[in-house]
Amino acid sequence: MVLFPKSGSVGGLASPFSSSSSFSKKRSNKAEKTYRFFKDSTTGRRITHTEYRPRSRSGSTQEPEDEEIHDFDITAENVLDDDMLSCLEEQEFPSITPSAATTCALEAANSLLEEWCANKAPSNQNWEQRISNLNESWAGVRQNLFNSVLSTFGIHPERSMCSKCLKNPAVIRCYNCHMHRQLCGVCDQSVHEILPFHDRSAFKSGFLKPIPPTVSVDHNGEWVSVDSYLPFSEMCLTCPFCNICNMQRVSKHNSCVVVNLQGRFDVSHVLLHCLRCNKDVPTSNPLIIAQLGFWPGSVSSLTYAFDPRLFLHWDLFQKESPGSSERSFLKSLEQFSLRKGRVGTINSKTFGIAFKEWKFCQYELDVLRKMDWMECPSCKDSQHSVHVDGNMKLYRFKSA
């Protein structure tokens, strides 16, 4: 853009009309005006702009145009030398023209946008229409789901062999073993001797029947009693007398009841022998039970052992739903055990006392971790925000 004054010298050269008598008088009423010239890169036309705006005629409401586009004309009022005009004419201004690659990319983007808009589901559906579509989708797949679930209650003729030995016919189905889902009687006893917490079913008279961890089927299809032991690892156990990891399994010990999130399991304790102090230590010892990842139900006669994950589940559940019945929670575990073919009886008194002792142990651990669960994160010194319904679902255990 080049700025030129309307009157006076241009580029240090005197105007040829400065000595004329018609232009000798100075016009004091009007200020000096400035014209702006530039070249349009698209059309190539010269465009002029001026700061002068003529007054509107009286009675006319039409506003003057902001810009006036016209061809450049050399007059007595606007004089340019030849060198200045040649420089302006020779100056090249870049033109903005889209390339072929840009045009193809824009066309591809437009086609994708049109396809997406055509395939997009309408978003103006109300709640009733969404629920109706959901019910229709379930109705369309309901029969196929039923047939698929029904097919799992039997053995496919082409897959009737044991998935471990691949020799004997499968008579046991385990719902927790992913590699060996169908087993024969011999393989079932070898696999689930130390995995007693798996849900299994036996094929009897063409149907699947849930069985407890102490029952299996032999190669003749007859029921047999098997020994299921409390899971343990000899390499990870420390003798409570000498504090040395040198334990060895000796024999079977008394019975034990393990309660976890899947209900009740009847297993057997194991008698261990320490090779360092030559003392026999059963897994019914509370210190050994804690090392095995369980929580003792009692100290004197350890008949019950509880999974700490069961205590954690119940602790979180009763905090989210205050007033929930502990007895009802245990009844649900008992019913689940019965559905799986196990004994459906859990001592509620033993569960309550063991749960309180576990809670106190967790409190001591939180003290060591410097954790205080009685401090409300929203009510500390550096409070972040507040809401009118802030007290909702914030139970005041500390004041209660």
Side-chain angles (χ1 to χ4, degrees):
M1 182 183 297
V2 184
L3 301 178
F4 297 103
K6 181 179 179 182
S7 62
S9 62
V10 178
L13 301 177
S15 175
F17 298 94
S18 59
S19 59
S20 176
S21 60
S22 59
F23 295 96
S24 59
K25 293 183 179 181
K26 294 183 180 180
R27 298 178 180 179
S28 59
N29 296 334
K30 296 183 179 180
E32 185 178 0
K33 300 177 178 60
T34 304
Y35 288 92
R36 292 178 293 174
F37 304 92
F38 64 92
K39 190 174 183 180
D40 191 355
S41 60
T42 304
T43 61
R45 300 183 61 185
R46 291 172 181 169
I47 304 176
T48 62
H49 291 267
T50 177
E51 296 178 356
Y52 173 71
R53 295 293 184 270
R55 297 179 180 179
S56 59
R57 297 180 179 179
S58 59
S60 176
T61 59
Q62 183 179 2
E63 296 182 357
E65 297 180 357
D66 295 335
E67 297 182 359
E68 181 182 359
I69 301 176
H70 57 81
D71 294 335
F72 183 78
D73 188 15
I74 300 177
T75 60
E77 298 179 354
N78 189 13
V79 178
L80 295 176
D81 59 346
D82 297 336
D83 296 335
M84 186 75 62
L85 288 175
S86 62
C87 292
L88 289 175
E89 292 176 354
E90 293 177 358
Q91 187 175 2
E92 295 181 357
F93 296 93
S95 58
I96 303 175
T97 56
S99 61
T102 304
T103 305
C104 295
L106 290 175
E107 292 177 356
N110 290 332
S111 62
L112 290 176
L113 181 60
E114 293 175 358
E115 182 180 357
W116 178 77
C117 293
N119 298 332
K120 183 182 178 182
S123 58
N124 55 354
Q125 294 182 351
N126 54 19
W127 179 84
E128 183 179 0
Q129 292 177 346
R130 292 195 300 268
I131 295 300
S132 178
N133 294 337
L134 180 62
N135 294 333
E136 290 178 359
S137 62
W138 273 106
V141 76
R142 186 176 295 123
Q143 185 62 35
N144 295 332
L145 283 176
F146 172 77
N147 296 334
S148 179
V149 173
L150 183 61
S151 64
T152 61
F153 284 89
I155 298 180
H156 196 277
E158 298 180 357
R159 297 188 297 269
S160 60
M161 303 304 294
C162 176
S163 58
K164 183 179 181 182
C165 65
L166 302 177
K167 297 179 180 180
N168 301 324
V171 292
I172 300 293
R173 170 171 291 180
C174 180
Y175 299 98
N176 300 100
C177 293
H178 300 286
M179 295 183 60
H180 309 297
R181 196 170 183 83
Q182 297 182 164
L183 300 169
C184 62
V186 178
C187 294
D188 172 67
Q189 297 178 25
S190 62
V191 169
H192 294 103
E193 182 180 4
I194 58 175
L195 297 174
F197 305 139
H198 286 193
D199 291 328
R200 303 174 303 140
S201 296
F203 292 99
K204 295 291 292 185
S205 303
F207 296 95
L208 284 172
K209 182 179 181 180
I211 57 177
T214 57
V215 174
S216 183
V217 181
D218 59 4
H219 60 279
N220 295 324
E222 301 294 335
W223 299 109
V224 293
S225 298
V226 296
D227 295 330
S228 296
Y229 301 99
L230 192 69
F232 71 97
S233 177
E234 300 173 354
M235 301 298 296
C236 300
L237 294 179
T238 302
C239 178
F241 299 101
C242 61
N243 295 327
I244 300 297
C245 298
N246 198 359
M247 307 289 289
Q248 184 179 5
R249 173 181 171 181
V250 177
S251 61
K252 176 184 175 181
H253 203 53
N254 53 2
S255 60
C256 175
V257 176
V258 179
V259 183
N260 56 17
L261 287 171
Q262 296 177 331
R264 168 175 170 162
F265 292 86
D266 293 299
V267 295
S268 299
H269 282 293
V270 178
L271 183 63
L272 304 175
H273 179 74
C274 180
L275 300 178
R276 178 66 181 273
C277 61
N278 293 325
K279 291 185 178 180
D280 294 335
V281 182
T283 55
S284 58
N285 190 304
L287 302 181
I288 299 295
I289 281 290
Q291 295 183 46
L292 293 178
F294 298 94
W295 187 260
S298 61
V299 178
S300 57
S301 58
L302 205 156
T303 305
Y304 275 84
F306 297 96
D307 191 345
R309 290 173 294 184
L310 174 65
F311 287 157
L312 179 61
H313 182 80
W314 168 239
D315 183 33
L316 297 177
F317 182 79
Q318 69 174 357
K319 286 181 179 178
E320 294 296 330
S321 302
S324 301
S325 173
E326 180 179 290
R327 182 56 190 153
S328 299
F329 176 73
L330 294 179
K331 281 185 177 181
S332 64
L333 295 178
E334 293 176 352
Q335 292 297 323
F336 190 86
S337 301
L338 291 175
R339 293 287 297 270
K340 295 299 180 179
R342 303 190 295 267
V343 179
T345 303
I346 300 176
N347 194 325
S348 59
K349 190 66 176 180
T350 303
F351 177 86
I353 297 176
F355 175 71
K356 293 180 178 63
E357 293 291 338
W358 177 84
K359 284 276 291 182
F360 180 75
C361 180
Q362 297 302 311
Y363 168 76
E364 295 292 340
L365 292 176
D366 292 340
V367 171
L368 294 178
R369 300 189 191 106
K370 297 181 180 181
M371 298 173 62
D372 190 2
W373 296 107
M374 291 301 177
E375 292 290 341
C376 179
S378 302
C379 303
K380 286 187 177 180
D381 298 334
S382 57
Q383 185 174 355
H384 177 269
S385 58
V386 68
H387 194 267
V388 293
D389 295 331
N391 290 332
M392 182 173 292
K393 296 298 181 182
L394 295 179
Y395 305 106
R396 300 167 183 171
F397 294 104
K398 187 174 182 179
S399 60

